Amino acid sequence: MSFRLSQRDKDIIGFINQFRAVDRDSLVELFFKQLKSPINACNSVMVRLYRLGLIERTQQYSPTVYLPIDAKIKKNSQKILHFLSILDIYKQMCTYSTPKQVIVEDKPTGKKGGIEPDLFCIFKGSPFWIEIQRNQYSEQKMQAKINLYEEFFFSDEWKALHWQPEDRSAIFPSVILITPVRYAVHSDHIRIIQVANIHELMERYKSSSEQQRDAKPIKPVVSSGRIKINLTGW
């Protein structure tokens, strides 16, 4: 069968491959909202791509969730909700600034047993590793997760990651814990930020910026309470 894909078709397929599970309403928001009838347009495109065998779908959820053609997760798997939660965080970021260098389920150590953040991205000019906690864990388990980040920090292997800037010193990303629960975790070496969502992150940043603008210049302190986001770009 001969067919021609538009650039939007290719972008949608690539986006689904990247995020693993994407619901119809998110596709409407990200690719069709400028159209007169965005939902109808999205439905038409997605049915066509599905019939061409370029994407998979599951109707276990409403609205329909689309998957990569070679998806290794079952259509009723709880893993789909995990990927949708990652997508939701990405969309929240997009309301402020489109993240760059996005990696879903990043594995920066390249080995089993290392850190495995749900999402890596450069947002507002700063690199972040994001852990999305949909379930509540013990503080011991969460501290063990932070300890793995510290272990990677001391390895210096992160300095060679492909997204590091070529014209300046390497940067170790801040770690964002997306969680409704606040854990008593700590690190003397990496920045840990605990927020319920990206909107809370931005509100906290806004408040911090206003305080810094009103105060006398001081030497910056790295902590989980004060957030510094570089707004000048990567």
Side-chain angles (χ1 to χ4, degrees), residues 51-69:
R51 288 176 176 171
L52 287 171
L54 299 174
I55 57 171
E56 190 53 85
R57 71 184 182 187
T58 173
Q59 295 177 312
Q60 297 278 341
Y61 303 88
S62 181
T64 300
V65 171
Y66 296 92
L67 312 167
I69 193 63

Side-chain angles (χ1 to χ4, degrees), residues 7 13 31 42 48 50 56 77 81 83 85 94 99 124 134 144 152 155 160 173 175 193 207 221 232:
Q7 186 58 52
I13 294 169
F31 294 96
C42 180
R48 175 170 54 83
Y50 174 71
E56 190 53 85
S77 171
L81 296 177
F83 288 124
S85 66
C94 286
K124 290 282 189 178
R134 295 178 54 237
F152 190 46
S155 76
V175 177
I193 304 164
S207 299
V221 177
T232 60

Side-chain angles (χ1 to χ4, degrees), residues 1-215:
M1 180 183 295
S2 176
F3 54 87
R4 177 173 296 180
L5 297 178
S6 68
Q7 186 58 52
R8 182 179 62 192
D9 292 339
K10 296 175 183 177
D11 291 343
I12 289 172
I13 294 169
F15 190 80
I16 293 171
N17 289 339
Q18 180 180 28
F19 281 87
R20 321 285 176 82
V22 181
D23 63 285
R24 192 278 313 272
D25 286 354
S26 292
L27 291 170
V28 169
E29 180 181 344
L30 295 168
F31 294 96
F32 297 91
K33 66 180 179 181
Q34 75 282 4
L35 301 181
K36 185 176 181 180
S37 301
I39 293 178
N40 290 339
C42 180
N43 287 339
S44 177
V45 168
M46 300 314 293
V47 167
R48 175 170 54 83
L49 295 179
Y50 174 71
R51 288 176 176 171
L52 287 171
L54 299 174
I55 57 171
E56 190 53 85
R57 71 184 182 187
T58 173
Q59 295 177 312
Q60 297 278 341
Y61 303 88
S62 181
T64 300
V65 171
Y66 296 92
L67 312 167
I69 193 63
D70 60 348
K72 297 179 181 179
I73 53 177
K74 296 181 180 180
K75 293 184 179 181
N76 61 351
S77 171
Q78 288 295 306
K79 190 76 171 173
I80 289 176
L81 296 177
H82 166 72
F83 288 124
L84 291 177
S85 66
I86 295 174
L87 174 61
D88 184 58
I89 293 301
Y90 171 82
K91 291 194 301 176
Q92 289 179 36
M93 289 182 165
C94 286
T95 64
Y96 301 97
S97 177
T98 302
K100 301 177 182 178
Q101 300 284 350
V102 176
I103 305 173
V104 176
E105 290 199 329
D106 192 16
K107 295 178 175 59
T109 67
K111 56 188 177 183
K112 189 174 182 179
I115 62 172
E116 296 185 358
D118 297 311
L119 185 67
F120 167 81
C121 67
I122 295 172
F123 177 59
K124 290 282 189 178
S126 295
F128 294 100
W129 275 316
I130 302 175
E131 297 270 1
I132 303 171
Q133 306 302 137
R134 295 178 54 237
N135 300 311
Q136 185 171 348
Y137 297 99
S138 68
E139 291 190 343
Q140 291 85 354
K141 186 170 183 178
M142 293 303 297
Q143 185 61 53
K145 188 185 292 282
I146 297 304
N147 292 345
L148 285 177
Y149 279 94
E150 286 195 333
E151 182 180 315
F152 190 46
F153 174 81
F154 286 113
S155 76
D156 280 349
E157 294 174 11
W158 54 273
K159 295 180 180 179
L161 293 174
H162 75 276
W163 49 262
Q164 290 286 4
E166 297 179 358
D167 57 346
R168 67 189 101 159
S169 299
I171 303 170
F172 193 87
S174 299
V175 177
I176 299 179
L177 302 181
I178 302 290
T179 169
V181 179
R182 294 298 184 268
Y183 294 96
V185 295
H186 69 278
S187 172
D188 294 328
H189 308 284
I190 62 177
R191 179 181 296 164
I192 307 165
I193 304 164
Q194 298 190 61
V195 290
N197 50 51
I198 297 302
H199 304 307
E200 182 183 341
L201 172 74
M202 296 308 294
E203 281 299 315
R204 193 184 298 182
Y205 162 73
K206 180 180 177 181
S207 299
S208 177
S209 295
E210 290 173 350
Q211 291 173 6
Q212 291 176 11
R213 191 165 56 242
D214 295 338

